[in-house]
Amino acid sequence: MKRFKIGELSVDSGTPLLSEGSSTPQVFTALSGMGLRYKTLETGERQVISFIMPGDFIGLQAAVMGEMQHSVEATTDMVLCVFDRSALWDLFKHEPQRAFDLTWVAAVEEHFLGETVASLGQRTGTERVAWALVRLYIHLSALDLRKGDSIPLPYRQQDLADALGLSLVHTNKILSSFRSKGLAVWKDSQLTVPSLEKLATIAALDPEREPIRPLI
Amino acid sequence: MKRFKIGELSVDSGTPLLSEGSSTPQVFTALSGMGLRYKTLETGERQVISFIMPGDFIGLQAAVMGEMQHSVEATTDMVLCVFDRSALWDLFKHEPQRAFDLTWVAAVEEHFLGETVASLGQRTGTERVAWALVRLYIHLSALDLRKGDSIPLPYRQQDLADALGLSLVHTNKILSSFRSKGLAVWKDSQLTVPSLEKLATIAALDPEREPIRPLI
DNA sequence: CGTCCACTTGACAGTCGTCAATAGGGGTGG
DNA sequence: CCACCCCTATTGACGACTGTCAAGTGGACG
């Protein structure tokens, strides 16, 4: 992969990395920090598509489709590995294994989006929030970012609400109920989950079946 | 592509093509007929992920991830082009252009799923139904399956409801209101849309911006 | 000290789900 | 040929979940 690496990029929190409709010459891999992937509807509402964590690949759509269909923004300071988009074709020609990995990444991404669709479509508000927290907890644990029963979660409640298709107020009330029941406490960009099992039960989710995310 | 083609498969309506959790040795391309891609949640509810139309690629997930994360079923009689899953690797090694196309397919699929997430998350029931109908209308028009202002739509209202995260009853009432307003009439597996513009307005959707789906 | 932003909380309204009953078609067996 | 059954579509009533509006708190920052 190093042959295609252009360099590293450090950005401050709040920086837009890619914008809907743009076609940047670069693609990224997140090395540290977190971000958001979102779409803006014609009506102005924002839908958060996914939360970006270290190891995530950013910009595949722009690379193969020529234009981004969603925006990406850093919510904390981030360090990114930068690749040249035009090198992608060389990858396919000369490094079939890497190209295959890339397709794998796309397929895994598709799988997670499918899960999201299922959650938005079939779960209630409470289940959705529990589901999201469990998923984030598992993912960040796998990334070795968990300390004890807490993970870093540098987002606003509004971000979670926009990801789950709930209003900010309602999301807040659900989080508040989790807090009073001791199921999950999200405060100061830290999420503490005393019992993942209990939360997973509410989410109607089997944590064992969650696949691992890819790393390139 | 012909080198990788094993043969053609004809199935009757109602036949399951792929099942969640299975790992079949084959992948398909739909040649004719329509189908459904869906997930079953732990709680038993069904979420329709997408509607399958001629030209769609089926089984990429199983091919690269080893196991399907959703099920696929034929809703009409279908004819499929069958490929050998193990040939996929040869494709990457010897036909980089085709491999790239495959990744492109995956990226486009990801884009449409992103649109779906945004719809389920941000649109109201009425908007969702209008959005789905517009999208189907555009897609089937592009496939040259439109006759006048009608397209074939061989699904049940329950399928649409499961795709949009709405109850059957509510979906029915929305369709009923569209019918009485002359916006869209769905009857006997035929959808008639007198004015795509009006429907697109309700959907809060710009039909011009809809990208074309890929064909392999 | 004033402003801004994120988070909270309460009240109220509307969308949407559930329950239930009915109608219409197609297929099967008598 | 007709009765019966099953599946899909339809419609009404009722209630719950969730959104909107509004007001208030507390911390960060200039």
Side-chain angles (χ1 to χ4, degrees):
Chain A
M1 257 349 241
K2 280 185 181 162
R3 281 175 41 210
F4 300 106
K5 183 170 177 176
I6 291 181
E8 286 188 6
L9 175 65
S10 292
V11 299
D12 292 338
S13 71
T15 308
L17 295 177
L18 296 169
S19 290
E20 206 165 340
S22 72
S23 59
T24 54
Q26 295 148 4
V27 295
F28 309 99
T29 296
L31 295 179
S32 68
M34 301 190 192
L36 276 181
R37 191 185 308 238
Y38 64 90
K39 272 174 176 293
T40 306
L41 297 224
E42 284 78 358
T43 50
E45 286 120 331
R46 182 182 73 149
Q47 173 68 43
V48 170
I49 304 289
S50 68
F51 299 99
I52 292 179
M53 317 255 159
D56 285 357
F57 194 81
I58 304 168
L60 180 60
Q61 284 198 357
V64 298
M65 292 178 61
E67 188 174 290
M68 286 303 286
Q69 307 292 332
H70 55 248
S71 303
V72 177
E73 195 173 304
T75 54
T76 68
D77 295 352
M78 292 185 78
V79 179
L80 303 148
C81 188
V82 186
F83 301 99
D84 185 4
R85 177 185 149 184
S86 63
L88 210 71
W89 174 238
D90 291 335
L91 193 72
F92 273 85
K93 247 191 329 206
H94 303 302
E95 304 233 20
Q97 177 61 52
R98 294 296 184 197
F100 189 87
D101 291 346
L102 206 61
T103 307
W104 185 58
V105 167
V108 171
E109 203 59 55
E110 188 186 328
H111 163 241
F112 278 103
L113 277 184
E115 291 285 312
T116 304
V117 168
S119 282
L120 298 194
Q122 305 299 141
R123 289 192 231 260
T124 67
T126 306
E127 291 167 348
R128 279 185 234 178
V129 174
W131 168 80
L133 296 183
V134 168
R135 214 142 77 79
L136 288 164
Y137 191 88
I138 292 176
H139 187 184
L140 284 163
S141 295
L143 291 177
D144 208 28
L145 290 173
R146 177 165 57 84
K147 288 178 185 164
D149 55 1
S150 297
I151 55 166
L153 201 60
Y155 298 100
R156 298 170 306 159
Q157 294 186 356
Q158 182 73 65
D159 296 327
L160 183 62
D162 285 348
L164 299 178
L166 298 169
S167 70
L168 169 61
V169 173
H170 198 221
T171 305
N172 179 291
K173 285 171 183 168
I174 292 169
L175 287 171
S176 167
S177 93
F178 283 176
R179 200 182 315 132
S180 68
K181 289 176 189 160
L183 287 169
V185 181
W186 181 16
K187 199 182 166 190
D188 298 331
S189 297
Q190 283 277 121
L191 172 68
T192 304
V193 179
S195 165
L196 190 60
E197 273 68 33
K198 284 185 187 170
L199 206 55
T201 304
I202 292 179
L205 176 72
D206 183 355
E208 302 301 319
R209 278 179 50 190
E210 283 304 287
I212 314 295
R213 294 215 182 211
L215 288 169
I216 283 215
Chain B
M1 260 342 245
K2 282 186 181 164
R3 282 176 40 211
F4 301 107
K5 184 170 176 176
I6 292 180
E8 286 188 5
L9 176 65
S10 293
V11 299
D12 292 337
S13 71
T15 308
L17 295 177
L18 296 170
S19 290
E20 206 165 340
S22 73
S23 58
T24 55
Q26 297 150 2
V27 294
F28 309 98
T29 295
L31 294 179
S32 69
M34 301 189 191
L36 275 182
R37 191 184 309 238
Y38 63 89
K39 272 175 177 291
T40 305
L41 296 225
E42 284 78 359
T43 50
E45 285 122 331
R46 182 182 73 150
Q47 173 67 44
V48 169
I49 303 291
S50 68
F51 299 97
I52 292 180
M53 316 254 158
D56 286 357
F57 196 81
I58 303 170
L60 181 60
Q61 284 198 356
V64 298
M65 294 178 60
E67 189 173 291
M68 286 303 287
Q69 306 294 331
H70 56 248
S71 304
V72 177
E73 195 174 302
T75 55
T76 68
D77 294 353
M78 293 186 77
V79 178
L80 303 148
C81 188
V82 186
F83 301 100
D84 186 4
R85 179 184 148 184
S86 62
L88 210 71
W89 174 238
D90 291 335
L91 193 72
F92 273 85
K93 242 185 341 201
H94 302 303
E95 303 232 21
Q97 177 61 52
R98 292 299 183 193
F100 190 88
D101 290 347
L102 206 60
T103 306
W104 183 58
V105 167
V108 171
E109 203 60 53
E110 188 186 329
H111 163 241
F112 278 103
L113 276 184
E115 290 284 313
T116 304
V117 168
S119 282
L120 298 194
Q122 305 300 142
R123 289 191 230 260
T124 67
T126 306
E127 290 166 349
R128 280 185 233 178
V129 174
W131 169 80
L133 296 183
V134 168
R135 213 142 77 79
L136 288 164
Y137 191 88
I138 292 175
H139 187 183
L140 284 163
S141 294
L143 290 176
D144 207 29
L145 290 172
R146 176 166 57 83
K147 288 177 185 165
D149 54 2
S150 298
I151 56 167
L153 201 60
Y155 299 100
R156 297 170 304 158
Q157 294 186 356
Q158 182 74 63
D159 297 327
L160 183 61
D162 286 347
L164 299 178
L166 297 168
S167 71
L168 169 61
V169 173
H170 198 222
T171 305
N172 178 290
K173 284 170 181 166
I174 293 169
L175 287 171
S176 165
S177 94
F178 283 178
R179 199 182 317 134
S180 68
K181 289 175 189 159
L183 287 168
V185 180
W186 181 17
K187 199 182 163 189
D188 298 331
S189 298
Q190 283 278 120
L191 173 68
T192 304
V193 179
S195 164
L196 191 60
E197 273 68 34
K198 285 185 186 169
L199 205 55
T201 304
I202 291 180
L205 176 71
D206 183 355
E208 302 301 318
R209 278 179 50 190
E210 284 301 287
I212 312 296
R213 296 216 181 208
L215 288 169
I216 283 215

